[in-house]
């Protein structure tokens, strides 16, 4: 995770969509009130932190990239920022009442993430994981963009929507697993859309040649729509509890 986004930390913070504030209400309702502490894993520049700050609890943000953490710290000076990975972070004795993760669950070690989170939670503590599914309001636009990306890079793939709900439930380590979905549309100009694409990890991991080809194909496609595209953002929130 370290280094994937740091080079575009400011762009990431500027162009990545935030999360619905209703997520905070849903978390408070599920947890049963304001938790004594919240720990956010893979906090990035604070897109999820903005929602978690609404919970009104002391907040620790775990973030391994120093450039992302610098933006995070400037945006949320009230939060304690731990520079390092989740695997390097040591939870306090007795565990944490609430652990959250926004759009970063896939960055945690697949073989151990559920076990580590369960161990880091206090008995009866809450896990809240949320993330966007980036889709398009117009299905014709969605297909054209998919075709453009595939033509530029046939290896382009993506995870299924809300995959982390199944990952958490399938671990068998938590109880009361629930999923809630929030939906909204957001219009982006060609330039803003291309900036957004440049903050996605599959894009950033491609060679400079593939990146240039993908951006050129997407520019031509979105310009063909009239210079704008409307995102259909579907945000899934997974909630679970460590058994008491």
């Amino acid at each position: 995770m370290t280094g994937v986004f740091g080079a575009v930390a400011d762009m990431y913070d500027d162009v990545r969509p935030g999360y619905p504030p209703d997520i905070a209400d849903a978390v408070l309702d599920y947890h049963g009130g304001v938790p004594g502490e919240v720990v956010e894993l893979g906090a990035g520049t604070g897109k999820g932190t903005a929602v978690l700050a609404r919970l009104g609890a002391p907040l620790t943000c775990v973030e391994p990239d120093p450039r992302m953490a610098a933006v995070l710290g400037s945006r949320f000076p009230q939060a304690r920022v731990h520079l390092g990975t989740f695997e390097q972070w040591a939870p306090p004795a007795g565990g944490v009442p609430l652990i959250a993760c926004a759009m970063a669950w896939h960055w945690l070690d697949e073989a151990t993430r559920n076990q580590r989170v369960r161990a880091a939670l206090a008995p009866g503590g809450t896990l809240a994981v949320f993330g966007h599914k980036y889709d398009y309001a117009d299905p014709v636009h969605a297909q054209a963009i998919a075709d453009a990306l595939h033509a530029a890079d046939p290896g382009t793939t993506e995870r299924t929507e809300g995959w982390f709900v199944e990952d958490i439930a399938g671990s068998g380590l938590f109880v009361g697993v629930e999923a809630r979905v929030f939906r909204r549309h957001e219009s982006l100009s060609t330039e803003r859309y291309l900036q957004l694409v440049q903050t996605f990890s599959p894009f950033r991991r491609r060679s400079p040649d593939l990146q240039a080809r993908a951006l050129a194909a997407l520019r031509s496609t979105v310009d063909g729509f009239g210079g704008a595209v409307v995102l259909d953002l579907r945000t899934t929130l997974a909630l679970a509890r460590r058994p008491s």
Side-chain angles (χ1 to χ4, degrees), residues 74-93:
S74 67
R75 291 187 61 203
F76 299 96
Q78 74 276 24
R80 176 178 179 270
V81 178
H82 175 86
L83 186 61
T85 65
F86 171 45
E87 292 76 17
Q88 294 167 338
W89 170 73

Side-chain angles (χ1 to χ4, degrees), residues 87-179:
E87 292 76 17
Q88 294 167 338
W89 170 73
V96 178
L98 196 152
I99 291 178
C101 182
M103 212 72 181
W105 191 249
H106 59 290
W107 290 111
L108 309 183
D109 179 60
E110 182 178 357
T112 63
R113 59 192 170 210
N114 283 290
Q115 293 92 331
R116 286 180 181 274
V117 167
R118 186 187 190 281
L121 279 171
T126 296
L127 170 63
V129 179
F130 48 101
H132 296 311
K133 164 67 175 177
Y134 289 91
D135 208 341
Y136 304 89
D138 187 329
V140 173
H141 291 183
Q143 188 60 56
I145 287 172
D147 291 345
L149 285 172
H150 183 75
D153 181 6
T156 300
T157 59
E158 61 180 43
R159 298 173 189 83
T160 58
E161 185 172 358
W163 65 273
F164 46 85
V165 180
E166 297 179 5
D167 182 72
I168 293 165
S171 73
L173 297 173
F174 303 94
V175 296
V177 180
E178 298 181 8

Side-chain angles (χ1 to χ4, degrees), residues 2 61-70 80-85 88:
T2 303
C61 298
V62 180
E63 170 54 42
D65 190 302
R67 292 166 293 184
M68 300 287 275
R80 176 178 179 270
V81 178
H82 175 86
L83 186 61
T85 65
Q88 294 167 338

